Amino acid sequence: MFADRAKIIIKSGRGGDGHVSFRREKYVPNGGPDGGDGGKGGDIIFEVDEGLNTLTDYRHRRKFAAQAGENGGKRNCHGKNGESLVLKVPEGTVIKDAETGKIIADMSGKNRRMVVLSGGKGGLGNQNFATATMQAPKYAQPGQEAIELEVLLELKVIADVGLVGFPNVGKSTLLSRVTNAQPKIANYHFTTLQPNLGVVDMEDGNGFVIADIPGLIEGASSGVGLGHEFLRHIERTKVIIHIVDAAGTEGRDPIADIRAINQELEAYNPDLLKKPQVIAANKMDAVYGDENEIISSLREEFEKDSMKVYPISAVSGRGVRELLFHVRGLLNECPKEAVVYEPEFVPSLHFFKNEPYTITRADDGAFVVEGPKIEKMLGYTNIDSEKGFLFFQKFLREQGILSELEEKGITDGDTVRMYYNEFDYYK
């Protein structure tokens, strides 16, 4: 099946930790701090690849991670930055947060390369915390954590014109006649499973891209069959061509078919009905003369709503040229800008708004504070020194931990337990 959706897990690189070290050189008895900074973690970058038209590469592999930054070293050595990971996608791919469905990035228009997840910042080495009064800081900063996120990739076809219609009305035949596309054509009652794109080359060189949108069925807007997967491809098109069987060979009612498809389009997104529409009454090679009752009824029903009817034969090419010039005229009246969806979700703001931690009460009345970030800060901070302890307190304040302790009723003299450390609380 056509791979136009994929759910993957992406993870940026963690920042390297800052280093704690001091100069140890002969004839330098009072060497200062020389701990280097950690390297930045690698980014997760999405990039448009013109050679891709499906998301197949992401259907069999689920996890993608950038490289972590290296830790800082002694002698002011900066840790190496982690390598970023570039994920190639087709133009028109929309990247969404899998949990909320909110849009993170739309790889369309001018958006050719976008950083979706930024790598963690490298931690500062102890040399950065030296002051006139604290010349030998024994603490450094840990690297920023990586961001891991499950995202949904959705490919929305970029085409100027979309062909819609029920199965076996001749969409694939028309596409193969007017473009260089070579869709599979057969007389069976199953819908095409993938949108086929082709370029229409007009005589004056002013062509356009046309897509055979897979056949729709009633109930598609409610998710019946593969409805949502097909309807999303119509969102970016500028003009819609309804193809119907004007010869009645399939025993269908063309007017009812057009009404049914428009009803599904409106139920999915009412704005779709604002797009210009035209009707291609196909299979005229099986009709005697230039007109029949079906053509007349189509004109009477729809031309009053500015939907012109063009009798054509996709097999012989009859009437196709007139149809294409009318469509090109409609396109000239449409806005030139591509439809690009605005971001609704910024991962870095979501993940680093608050670091995870828990505050519980022990049996002896002590307030127990735990969390991965707290544990790492304790491991990298020399709380025995005044500067180190102030550095740690600043971290607790920025994370909102001190405020939450006060909300939970802590008072002066109460014990705060953090892993292997105990403190007496004083405001």
Side-chain angles (χ1 to χ4, degrees):
M1 179 179 167
F2 180 64
D4 64 352
R5 294 187 80 183
K7 190 178 284 187
I8 62 173
I9 296 172
I10 54 177
K11 184 178 181 180
S12 61
R14 181 188 183 280
D17 297 328
H19 189 70
V20 177
S21 62
F22 299 89
R23 292 177 61 189
R24 292 292 181 265
E25 300 174 36
K26 197 174 183 180
Y27 307 120
V28 184
N30 297 315
D34 67 352
D37 301 341
K40 179 184 176 298
D43 300 330
I44 294 289
I45 302 171
F46 280 82
E47 186 175 82
V48 171
D49 187 334
E50 306 290 350
L52 296 177
N53 54 22
T54 74
L55 295 169
T56 303
D57 294 345
Y58 302 100
R59 292 184 71 87
H60 305 293
R61 182 183 168 192
R62 288 234 25 191
K63 294 188 176 182
F64 299 84
Q67 193 177 56
E70 290 185 356
N71 296 336
K74 55 186 179 181
R75 297 183 181 176
N76 300 325
C77 289
H78 190 291
K80 182 181 178 183
N81 292 339
E83 288 188 17
S84 295
L85 180 63
V86 180
L87 301 177
K88 302 291 184 71
V89 293
E91 182 177 6
T93 300
V94 178
I95 305 159
K96 297 181 177 179
D97 172 45
E99 183 180 353
T100 64
K102 292 183 177 180
I103 295 171
I104 299 172
D106 182 357
M107 306 305 295
S108 308
K110 297 179 181 179
N111 298 337
R112 317 308 289 179
R113 182 181 172 96
M114 298 190 70
V115 176
V116 172
L117 294 184
S118 296
K121 297 178 181 177
L124 299 175
N126 69 331
Q127 61 170 318
N128 295 277
F129 302 106
T131 65
T133 57
M134 173 55 67
Q135 298 181 10
K138 296 179 180 178
Y139 53 87
Q141 191 179 45
Q144 193 178 46
E145 294 293 340
I147 301 176
E148 182 172 295
L149 182 67
E150 186 175 37
V151 296
L152 177 66
L153 307 181
E154 289 186 351
L155 176 58
K156 295 176 187 259
V157 171
I158 303 284
D160 299 307
V161 179
L163 304 178
V164 297
F166 280 79
N168 267 14
V169 295
K171 298 195 307 297
S172 298
T173 305
L174 177 61
L175 186 72
S176 65
R177 168 163 287 279
V178 301
T179 74
N180 55 359
Q182 296 180 335
K184 294 180 180 178
I185 300 171
N187 186 31
Y188 49 66
H189 289 76
F190 295 98
T191 180
T192 305
L193 284 182
Q194 69 181 62
N196 292 294
L197 273 74
V199 178
V200 177
D201 294 320
M202 303 295 284
E203 297 170 7
D204 57 3
N206 188 12
F208 52 86
V209 179
I210 192 168
D212 166 16
I213 305 297
L216 301 175
I217 59 175
E218 291 183 68
S221 59
S222 302
V224 174
L226 299 173
H228 283 161
E229 282 75 2
F230 295 159
L231 283 163
R232 75 166 54 88
H233 295 297
I234 304 175
E235 289 187 278
R236 294 191 197 264
T237 59
K238 297 175 181 176
V239 174
I240 297 173
I241 300 179
H242 289 271
I243 301 188
V244 294
D245 176 10
T249 58
E250 293 292 317
R252 303 193 62 87
D253 179 354
I255 293 178
D257 285 354
I258 293 173
R259 293 292 187 203
I261 287 177
N262 275 350
Q263 187 175 349
E264 295 304 321
L265 296 181
E266 183 177 25
Y268 179 73
N269 182 352
D271 290 339
L272 295 179
L273 290 190
K274 297 178 182 179
K275 299 176 184 290
Q277 299 186 11
V278 60
I279 299 170
N282 192 26
K283 302 191 179 182
M284 290 302 292
D285 52 290
V287 175
Y288 181 77
D290 296 329
E291 195 94 6
N292 64 4
E293 291 183 5
I294 293 177
I295 300 295
S296 300
S297 60
L298 285 169
R299 293 189 195 279
E300 183 178 350
E301 183 71 21
F302 295 106
E303 287 200 340
K304 64 179 182 292
D305 297 324
S306 301
M307 290 172 60
K308 292 206 66 174
V309 178
Y310 284 84
I312 68 163
S313 169
V315 173
S316 68
R318 172 181 165 190
V320 171
R321 185 174 182 273
E322 292 79 3
L323 170 68
L324 295 180
F325 272 96
H326 175 67
V327 170
R328 212 273 304 278
L330 293 176
L331 287 172
N332 289 341
E333 298 172 3
C334 294
K336 302 301 180 185
E337 299 81 14
V339 177
V340 180
Y341 300 99
E342 293 297 321
E344 304 168 329
F345 183 89
V346 181
S348 59
L349 294 180
H350 176 77
F351 278 89
F352 292 122
K353 185 176 181 181
N354 289 301
E355 295 291 345
Y357 64 87
T358 59
I359 299 178
T360 56
R361 200 76 183 264
D363 293 338
D364 61 359
F367 289 82
V368 180
V369 183
E370 294 180 330
K373 191 78 170 182
I374 296 169
E375 186 176 17
K376 285 173 185 165
M377 282 296 292
L378 285 168
Y380 283 95
T381 306
N382 180 15
I383 58 175
D384 292 331
S385 72
E386 182 182 356
K387 287 289 185 180
F389 191 68
L390 291 174
F391 179 73
F392 184 66
Q393 278 191 312
K394 180 182 177 184
F395 161 77
L396 297 177
R397 188 179 305 107
E398 290 176 347
Q399 296 294 309
I401 296 172
L402 295 182
S403 298
E404 189 166 338
L405 282 169
E406 292 171 4
E407 290 175 7
K408 290 184 178 294
I410 195 170
T411 58
D412 286 353
D414 285 348
T415 300
V416 179
R417 187 175 297 132
M418 298 183 185
Y419 295 95
Y420 47 84
N421 292 279
E422 286 192 357
F423 310 96
D424 291 331
Y425 176 82
Y426 291 99
K427 192 171 181 179

